[in-house]
Amino acid sequence: DTLWDLAIAEVENRENPDDDGKHVEILEKSILFMGNKNGGKTTIILRCLERDEIPKPTLALEYTFGRRARRHNTPKDIAHFWELGGGTSLLELIRIPITSNNIRSFAVVLVLDLSKPNELWTTMEKLLQVTRNHVKKILTKLEKTNPEVATEIKQKMWNNLQRDHPDYELVDPFPIPLVIIGSKYDIFHEFDSEMRKIISKTLRFVSHYYGASVVFTSKSEALLLKARVLINHLAFGYDKSKSVSVDHSKPLFIPAGLDSLSQIGPPPASDSDIGKMGANTPLELWKKVFEKTFPPKSFCDLQDTKDPAQDLQYAEYEVDVMRAQKNQ
């Protein structure tokens, strides 16, 4: 038998098991992690997969996977974890993991470094914008080739918000499930109380507006566990937590759909300031209020200028000698 014959036989066995004809479908989900450079994405992935490795800097786009069985003696479900390195410098690579084949089971985790509020809005806006545009392109194609799937994805967008939710008409859900993680809470916790309040309220508004969950985390086990709950829900369909923490003096934990604009309140600025800002949408208004306190770093500053070919973790003696010779 060739390798292909064995593979076909294996698949047929799985699809038609002998034991009482019970067939358990293997679920596959994919998650793309993106966010600030050195924001802690790799650490979060390793904790979710219960791996005790020392995180290395991520170059470009990296892939790993996890497997979990739902019950004893059942085949394991698979979760594909993609991680986009380099902050916002490699946005083009988002096209690789998110395709029309896996869009139905795809989710995004945006990791924002709370210790760098001046990079926060720019990073968030750029990454979410590019991802959203890419997903929209896929959906437009699907509407022509597979309209049922396109409709299903669009309906799923609204699943987190009940029809009777007071903000139903006021939000604009992200086209695929989204979790926003605020990392480095231990450093953020030392910030001035007013600064913490502005950042927390802004992230609450953004995640509620996009129909996303939000959680603050750090290296502490207890906080990493909370982030794991939300990620395991996306990756393996585990139950979502119903607990909520909205107090800005504590780490936020708000699963999608459990917040409201009335609880979040208006942007933290005086009425006269808000009047002068001339914003067209609520999102734009929050952006202007946030950037008044934390002037943004320009997009160019966030671009990665280091040459990855010089990275020591990818050194290969023979290749490097030839390269040096060629350069010379």
Side-chain angles (χ1 to χ4, degrees), residues 92-110:
E92 288 298 301
L93 295 178
I94 284 173
R95 298 199 310 257
I96 294 168
I98 310 178
T99 65
S100 49
N101 297 331
N102 64 12
I103 188 90
R104 287 167 81 171
S105 55
F106 212 99
V108 170
V109 174
L110 176 65

Side-chain angles (χ1 to χ4, degrees), residues 30-34 59-64 80-85 90-103 106-108 130-131 133-135 137-138 141 176:
S30 305
I31 300 179
L32 171 65
F33 285 76
M34 53 191 191
L59 186 81
L61 186 68
E62 294 206 355
Y63 168 82
T64 185
H80 306 279
F81 287 90
W82 294 88
E83 183 187 353
L84 180 71
L90 301 166
L91 291 169
E92 288 298 301
L93 295 178
I94 284 173
R95 298 199 310 257
I96 294 168
I98 310 178
T99 65
S100 49
N101 297 331
N102 64 12
I103 188 90
F106 212 99
V108 170
V130 173
T131 310
N133 293 343
H134 175 59
V135 171
K137 271 186 198 152
I138 291 177
K141 265 193 204 150
I176 51 180

